[in-house]
Amino acid sequence: MNVLAKATTSLAAGSRRSAAATAALVRHSSHFVYQPDAKAPIDGPTQKMNMFQAINQAMDIALEQNDSALVFGEDVAFGGVFRCSMGLQKKYGKGRVFNTPLCEQGIAGFAIGVANTGAKAIAEMQFADYIFPAFDQIVNEAAKYRYRSGNLYDCGSLTFRAPCGAVGHGACYHSQSPEAYFAHTPGLKVVVPRGPNKAKGLLLACVNDNDPCIVFEPKTLYRAAVEEVPVAAFESPLGKADVLRAGTDITLIGWGTQIHVLQEVADMAKKQLDVSCEVIDLVSILPWDKETICNSVKKTGRALIAHEAPLTNGFGAELAATIQEECFLHLESPVLRVTGWDTPFPHVFEPFYIPDKHRCLAGIRKLIDY
Amino acid sequence: MSFIRTAVRSALSRRSAFFRSVKHLSTDAAQPQQHAAGGGSNGAKFPGAQQASFVTAPKLALPATMEPLPIYRVMNSEGVIEDESQDPKLDQGTLRKMFRDMVLLNTMDKILYESQRQGRISFYMTNFGEEASHIGSAAALSIEDWVYGQYREAGVLVWRGFTISDFINQCYGNAEDQGKGRQMPVHYGSRKLNFVTISSPLGTQIPQAAGAAYAFKLQPNNQRCVITYFGEGAASEGDTHAAFNFAATLDCPVIFFCRNNGFAISTPSAEQYRGDGIAGRASGYGMAALRFDGTDVFATYNATKLAREYVLRENKPIVLEAMAYRIGHHSTSDDSTAYRPAEELEVWNTVEHPITKLKHYMIRRGWFNEDEENEFVKSVRKQVLSQINQSERIPKPNWREMFQDVYQEMPQHLKEQMREMEEHVTKHQEHYPLKDYKQ
């Protein structure tokens, strides 16, 4: 409750777009319990951090390591509406950490230009819901720059960060998970961290990667997710899924916040149904780790995919189709998707909208009994 | 016809106003603006408009009360320099290159347009009537300056040394095309010549140019600015608004070069905007602006040179608006007689033509040799025609290039898709034009 209250306050402070989002602070009990990473990604001293602090540290490292690196977006100068860029302008100056005018297509276009010169651009979209004005720049320009120029020009040194996902009361425009729109765009890399370690490692990997990357950060984890994070710089590989717990009866696939729902569901399935679940964090939406997913499903014979975004054409559809094609002879039941409904993300109905642990557990029961 | 005379007359009558504005531009720019809190003389304190003062009667700010920005020009349609102080005094060699580059572009355009009509290339866009705005601006820049274009700026590439074979190989998308045959014709790019590869979506390059200029500004001892070209139609896109505002607020050394040629495909500029063109928008963003005759190579040269000095000295953007007329059709997919009268075209194709004007000037200086120029046109024609024959025979790139450069390194799923296509092509080769592609 406390955790969610904090997250709520943060969203309220951050939201200046919609009075509706701040007017009624309806607080629901959290739909997930954060499960810290069991093992630090690298050896060495660690520090207890939440996700916004880990992201802040990653940007600090990126600015420190690359003289050309710039951090910009709406309201990043004072620290960002989610506190991710706290203290960075003070440390690196107004030239390198700065506010832009309120215009997402401008932020994206500007970032591409910065990256064309080889400088590193770390650009923030205040909410993933507001990335759509930049869709043309990201899809037609950033994603195709290297290809269309025959590798004469590229914008590989750019990274977009965008808070995404359900937060309890974000309604239509502070809750969206738009990863599937971008997964349909060759040339982009798209990742979603599940917590502080992953957020730090993925962000640094994206900054140093030579292709344009988008990091969708589940905003409900900014404060709620706390764990030990190595102080030193490290990168989490792009395009690699993480098997978070091994199991034999069914493969559960998710990313972002949903991973924590699925881990709790795995416990419930064990206890209530004596079903052994293998839980996989896909981490990387594009390119995605077909090998890890298909190896798991070939072993368990069943797959459940869960994501907050709507069902139709959600990224679960891509996974289900590929699993069907690659694991056909191993499947003992259809591949099931437990997702948000094909509606806009609602305000007061959020508890009925999200693919919570009860819907996921019911899904497991259905597949086991098939 | 009378419309042109009126325009010329009004431009002349505003000359004195123009010089005041240039003076204003160069002196005022050196002094940082005052941003005192409550700067209005009678104490207005709103953070959103700190320079404004209160008034006691409402006064609508009507566009009609604003004086349109004048059109700067150096020579008239007879090639006479109207104010000697404005003669850029370019040497004969430079002028000759300017003239010949314009003629080369014009000649190449005519032949490539025809070759599209014969179905030899899939698409083409000519530059007729805008040759001076390309060459004049390119000549005033350093080759280190980055260029972001729209698609009708091939003259900038001509000036910088893109060769006839570079142009034609791109149009054919053959194995010699640096873009590897992936884009439509006229989507040129050159790393060597600092000309960022053209893309079709309009206006997208404009905020990118601002970003590149910002990155250059932060480099130590920066001597490099960025210029971005776009038409008056593209200026209606949201990206143009974004770019103007970002460049102004973030102090980017970028030149926004608008080619206002009166049409966006069939849409006349009267249906594109109601304000004072594109340069008239600059002050709303807090930017400097200069409008000039884009059919006058000297005016274009002087304006761009002044703009370059300004943006690099001040680390501020500027809007240039080159007034011209799109003489050719929009593209080979367009027939412009469907939406504009032929008589109008005739004027722009003769007396108001940029190449004719420069030719008149050169004749006056005694720098023009009719026979030599005819010989030059003939030799360009020959080069273009022989290059077409040659480019046609060069095979297209290996079809596997289709899968390269999507990412810097090919990811696993693309490797699999390429392998799948390899197997398919091997099995069904008779259905694919393999002989046209490099093996």
Side-chain angles (χ1 to χ4, degrees), chain A residues 63 69-72 76-79 85 87-99, chain B residues 214:
Chain A
L63 286 159
L70 307 177
V71 167
F72 53 91
V76 305
F78 88 111
S85 50
L88 297 180
Q89 189 183 65
K90 201 166 171 217
K91 193 165 173 188
Y92 297 99
K94 289 178 174 169
R96 296 185 61 198
V97 179
F98 53 91
N99 289 338
Chain B
Y214 187 90

mmCIF file of all heavy atoms in Angstrom, chain A residues 63 69-72 76-79 85 87-99, chain B residues 214:
data_model
loop_
_atom_site.group_PDB
_atom_site.id
_atom_site.type_symbol
_atom_site.label_atom_id
_atom_site.label_comp_id
_atom_site.label_asym_id
_atom_site.label_seq_id
_atom_site.Cartn_x
_atom_site.Cartn_y
_atom_site.Cartn_z
ATOM 1 N N LEU A 63 26.890 9.533 -19.185
ATOM 2 C CA LEU A 63 27.381 10.906 -19.372
ATOM 3 C C LEU A 63 28.863 11.002 -19.014
ATOM 4 O O LEU A 63 29.630 11.745 -19.633
ATOM 5 C CB LEU A 63 26.563 11.866 -18.503
ATOM 6 C CG LEU A 63 25.139 12.169 -18.991
ATOM 7 C CD1 LEU A 63 24.275 12.687 -17.848
ATOM 8 C CD2 LEU A 63 25.150 13.175 -20.145
ATOM 9 N N ALA A 69 27.768 12.482 -24.847
ATOM 10 C CA ALA A 69 26.416 12.039 -24.477
ATOM 11 C C ALA A 69 25.555 13.204 -23.983
ATOM 12 O O ALA A 69 26.020 14.058 -23.227
ATOM 13 C CB ALA A 69 26.495 10.950 -23.411
ATOM 14 N N LEU A 70 24.293 13.220 -24.420
ATOM 15 C CA LEU A 70 23.330 14.249 -24.023
ATOM 16 C C LEU A 70 22.086 13.576 -23.465
ATOM 17 O O LEU A 70 21.674 12.528 -23.958
ATOM 18 C CB LEU A 70 22.917 15.094 -25.232
ATOM 19 C CG LEU A 70 24.026 15.739 -26.077
ATOM 20 C CD1 LEU A 70 23.415 16.465 -27.273
ATOM 21 C CD2 LEU A 70 24.847 16.704 -25.233
ATOM 22 N N VAL A 71 21.505 14.195 -22.433
ATOM 23 C CA VAL A 71 20.239 13.715 -21.867
ATOM 24 C C VAL A 71 19.233 14.848 -22.008
ATOM 25 O O VAL A 71 19.501 15.967 -21.562
ATOM 26 C CB VAL A 71 20.412 13.314 -20.380
ATOM 27 C CG1 VAL A 71 19.053 13.118 -19.720
ATOM 28 C CG2 VAL A 71 21.265 12.066 -20.253
ATOM 29 N N PHE A 72 18.097 14.586 -22.667
ATOM 30 C CA PHE A 72 17.131 15.663 -22.852
ATOM 31 C C PHE A 72 15.713 15.123 -23.012
ATOM 32 O O PHE A 72 15.502 13.933 -23.241
ATOM 33 C CB PHE A 72 17.506 16.543 -24.057
ATOM 34 C CG PHE A 72 17.725 15.765 -25.332
ATOM 35 C CD1 PHE A 72 16.684 15.536 -26.220
ATOM 36 C CD2 PHE A 72 18.975 15.260 -25.637
ATOM 37 C CE1 PHE A 72 16.886 14.823 -27.398
ATOM 38 C CE2 PHE A 72 19.190 14.536 -26.808
ATOM 39 C CZ PHE A 72 18.141 14.318 -27.687
ATOM 40 N N VAL A 76 13.379 17.231 -17.915
ATOM 41 C CA VAL A 76 14.469 16.408 -17.373
ATOM 42 C C VAL A 76 15.454 17.254 -16.562
ATOM 43 O O VAL A 76 16.153 16.727 -15.699
ATOM 44 C CB VAL A 76 15.239 15.619 -18.464
ATOM 45 C CG1 VAL A 76 14.314 14.763 -19.301
ATOM 46 C CG2 VAL A 76 16.047 16.535 -19.362
ATOM 47 N N ALA A 77 15.505 18.570 -16.807
ATOM 48 C CA ALA A 77 16.527 19.412 -16.172
ATOM 49 C C ALA A 77 16.417 19.410 -14.651
ATOM 50 O O ALA A 77 17.420 19.309 -13.949
ATOM 51 C CB ALA A 77 16.440 20.841 -16.716
ATOM 52 N N PHE A 78 15.197 19.500 -14.131
ATOM 53 C CA PHE A 78 15.054 19.576 -12.664
ATOM 54 C C PHE A 78 15.095 18.186 -12.032
ATOM 55 O O PHE A 78 15.026 18.045 -10.822
ATOM 56 C CB PHE A 78 13.758 20.328 -12.286
ATOM 57 C CG PHE A 78 12.535 19.463 -12.185
ATOM 58 C CD1 PHE A 78 11.929 19.208 -10.961
ATOM 59 C CD2 PHE A 78 11.982 18.876 -13.320
ATOM 60 C CE1 PHE A 78 10.799 18.404 -10.855
ATOM 61 C CE2 PHE A 78 10.848 18.064 -13.232
ATOM 62 C CZ PHE A 78 10.257 17.831 -11.997
ATOM 63 N N GLY A 79 15.214 17.174 -12.859
ATOM 64 C CA GLY A 79 15.310 15.824 -12.321
ATOM 65 C C GLY A 79 14.308 14.860 -12.919
ATOM 66 O O GLY A 79 14.395 13.658 -12.690
ATOM 67 N N SER A 85 16.341 11.759 -13.751
ATOM 68 C CA SER A 85 17.527 12.542 -14.124
ATOM 69 C C SER A 85 17.977 13.494 -13.013
ATOM 70 O O SER A 85 18.683 14.468 -13.265
ATOM 71 C CB SER A 85 17.253 13.314 -15.424
ATOM 72 O OG SER A 85 16.030 14.020 -15.334
ATOM 73 N N GLY A 87 19.848 15.499 -10.398
ATOM 74 C CA GLY A 87 21.248 15.846 -10.149
ATOM 75 C C GLY A 87 22.147 15.834 -11.381
ATOM 76 O O GLY A 87 23.308 16.251 -11.301
ATOM 77 N N LEU A 88 21.642 15.366 -12.499
ATOM 78 C CA LEU A 88 22.528 15.217 -13.662
ATOM 79 C C LEU A 88 22.877 16.560 -14.300
ATOM 80 O O LEU A 88 24.007 16.771 -14.737
ATOM 81 C CB LEU A 88 21.890 14.273 -14.705
ATOM 82 C CG LEU A 88 21.665 12.828 -14.231
ATOM 83 C CD1 LEU A 88 21.024 11.988 -15.332
ATOM 84 C CD2 LEU A 88 22.989 12.192 -13.788
ATOM 85 N N GLN A 89 21.909 17.477 -14.360
ATOM 86 C CA GLN A 89 22.245 18.769 -14.955
ATOM 87 C C GLN A 89 23.285 19.498 -14.117
ATOM 88 O O GLN A 89 24.209 20.101 -14.651
ATOM 89 C CB GLN A 89 20.991 19.649 -15.113
ATOM 90 C CG GLN A 89 21.307 20.893 -15.929
ATOM 91 C CD GLN A 89 20.145 21.852 -16.060
ATOM 92 O OE1 GLN A 89 19.678 22.425 -15.081
ATOM 93 N NE2 GLN A 89 19.684 22.049 -17.287
ATOM 94 N N LYS A 90 23.141 19.370 -12.802
ATOM 95 C CA LYS A 90 24.096 20.028 -11.915
ATOM 96 C C LYS A 90 25.505 19.491 -12.163
ATOM 97 O O LYS A 90 26.490 20.216 -12.170
ATOM 98 C CB LYS A 90 23.677 19.802 -10.464
ATOM 99 C CG LYS A 90 24.262 20.820 -9.539
ATOM 100 C CD LYS A 90 23.606 20.811 -8.180
ATOM 101 C CE LYS A 90 24.423 21.710 -7.261
ATOM 102 N NZ LYS A 90 24.500 21.211 -5.911
ATOM 103 N N LYS A 91 25.575 18.187 -12.379
ATOM 104 C CA LYS A 91 26.875 17.541 -12.547
ATOM 105 C C LYS A 91 27.474 17.760 -13.938
ATOM 106 O O LYS A 91 28.682 17.918 -14.067
ATOM 107 C CB LYS A 91 26.699 16.040 -12.271
ATOM 108 C CG LYS A 91 28.000 15.293 -12.099
ATOM 109 C CD LYS A 91 27.761 13.918 -11.483
ATOM 110 C CE LYS A 91 29.047 13.100 -11.476
ATOM 111 N NZ LYS A 91 28.802 11.718 -11.071
ATOM 112 N N TYR A 92 26.635 17.764 -14.967
ATOM 113 C CA TYR A 92 27.174 17.782 -16.338
ATOM 114 C C TYR A 92 26.868 19.060 -17.120
ATOM 115 O O TYR A 92 27.313 19.205 -18.249
ATOM 116 C CB TYR A 92 26.673 16.557 -17.118
ATOM 117 C CG TYR A 92 27.176 15.276 -16.507
ATOM 118 C CD1 TYR A 92 26.377 14.513 -15.660
ATOM 119 C CD2 TYR A 92 28.489 14.843 -16.734
ATOM 120 C CE1 TYR A 92 26.844 13.352 -15.069
ATOM 121 C CE2 TYR A 92 28.967 13.691 -16.150
ATOM 122 C CZ TYR A 92 28.139 12.951 -15.325
ATOM 123 O OH TYR A 92 28.625 11.813 -14.735
ATOM 124 N N GLY A 93 26.110 19.968 -16.491
ATOM 125 C CA GLY A 93 25.883 21.254 -17.140
ATOM 126 C C GLY A 93 24.645 21.300 -18.013
ATOM 127 O O GLY A 93 24.135 20.275 -18.444
ATOM 128 N N LYS A 94 24.226 22.544 -18.263
ATOM 129 C CA LYS A 94 22.990 22.770 -19.026
ATOM 130 C C LYS A 94 23.143 22.404 -20.493
ATOM 131 O O LYS A 94 22.155 22.216 -21.197
ATOM 132 C CB LYS A 94 22.568 24.241 -18.916
ATOM 133 C CG LYS A 94 22.047 24.587 -17.537
ATOM 134 C CD LYS A 94 21.683 26.056 -17.421
ATOM 135 C CE LYS A 94 21.037 26.297 -16.065
ATOM 136 N NZ LYS A 94 20.876 27.707 -15.742
ATOM 137 N N GLY A 95 24.358 22.359 -20.961
ATOM 138 C CA GLY A 95 24.575 21.999 -22.357
ATOM 139 C C GLY A 95 24.315 20.531 -22.625
ATOM 140 O O GLY A 95 23.974 20.150 -23.738
ATOM 141 N N ARG A 96 24.483 19.684 -21.588
ATOM 142 C CA ARG A 96 24.392 18.230 -21.811
ATOM 143 C C ARG A 96 23.141 17.592 -21.222
ATOM 144 O O ARG A 96 22.766 16.492 -21.622
ATOM 145 C CB ARG A 96 25.648 17.551 -21.252
ATOM 146 C CG ARG A 96 26.926 17.992 -22.000
ATOM 147 C CD ARG A 96 28.144 17.240 -21.521
ATOM 148 N NE ARG A 96 27.999 15.814 -21.739
ATOM 149 C CZ ARG A 96 28.725 14.889 -21.123
ATOM 150 N NH1 ARG A 96 29.646 15.252 -20.235
ATOM 151 N NH2 ARG A 96 28.544 13.611 -21.376
ATOM 152 N N VAL A 97 22.541 18.257 -20.250
ATOM 153 C CA VAL A 97 21.303 17.736 -19.660
ATOM 154 C C VAL A 97 20.306 18.889 -19.672
ATOM 155 O O VAL A 97 20.494 19.872 -18.974
ATOM 156 C CB VAL A 97 21.540 17.239 -18.215
ATOM 157 C CG1 VAL A 97 20.239 16.720 -17.618
ATOM 158 C CG2 VAL A 97 22.625 16.169 -18.183
ATOM 159 N N PHE A 98 19.283 18.797 -20.517
ATOM 160 C CA PHE A 98 18.470 19.997 -20.713
ATOM 161 C C PHE A 98 17.027 19.679 -21.087
ATOM 162 O O PHE A 98 16.713 18.595 -21.592
ATOM 163 C CB PHE A 98 19.097 20.896 -21.783
ATOM 164 C CG PHE A 98 19.392 20.190 -23.091
ATOM 165 C CD1 PHE A 98 18.454 20.164 -24.105
ATOM 166 C CD2 PHE A 98 20.617 19.560 -23.309
ATOM 167 C CE1 PHE A 98 18.717 19.527 -25.307
ATOM 168 C CE2 PHE A 98 20.893 18.912 -24.512
ATOM 169 C CZ PHE A 98 19.933 18.895 -25.516
ATOM 170 N N ASN A 99 16.164 20.663 -20.809
ATOM 171 C CA ASN A 99 14.757 20.575 -21.208
ATOM 172 C C ASN A 99 14.622 20.904 -22.682
ATOM 173 O O ASN A 99 15.326 21.765 -23.204
ATOM 174 C CB ASN A 99 13.926 21.613 -20.449
ATOM 175 C CG ASN A 99 13.770 21.266 -18.980
ATOM 176 O OD1 ASN A 99 13.907 20.110 -18.587
ATOM 177 N ND2 ASN A 99 13.481 22.272 -18.172
ATOM 178 N N TYR B 214 23.193 21.172 -32.986
ATOM 179 C CA TYR B 214 23.434 21.261 -31.536
ATOM 180 C C TYR B 214 24.658 20.438 -31.159
ATOM 181 O O TYR B 214 25.523 20.890 -30.402
ATOM 182 C CB TYR B 214 22.205 20.770 -30.768
ATOM 183 C CG TYR B 214 22.313 20.988 -29.274
ATOM 184 C CD1 TYR B 214 21.858 22.165 -28.702
ATOM 185 C CD2 TYR B 214 22.903 20.025 -28.450
ATOM 186 C CE1 TYR B 214 21.980 22.382 -27.326
ATOM 187 C CE2 TYR B 214 23.033 20.236 -27.081
ATOM 188 C CZ TYR B 214 22.562 21.410 -26.528
ATOM 189 O OH TYR B 214 22.699 21.622 -25.176
#
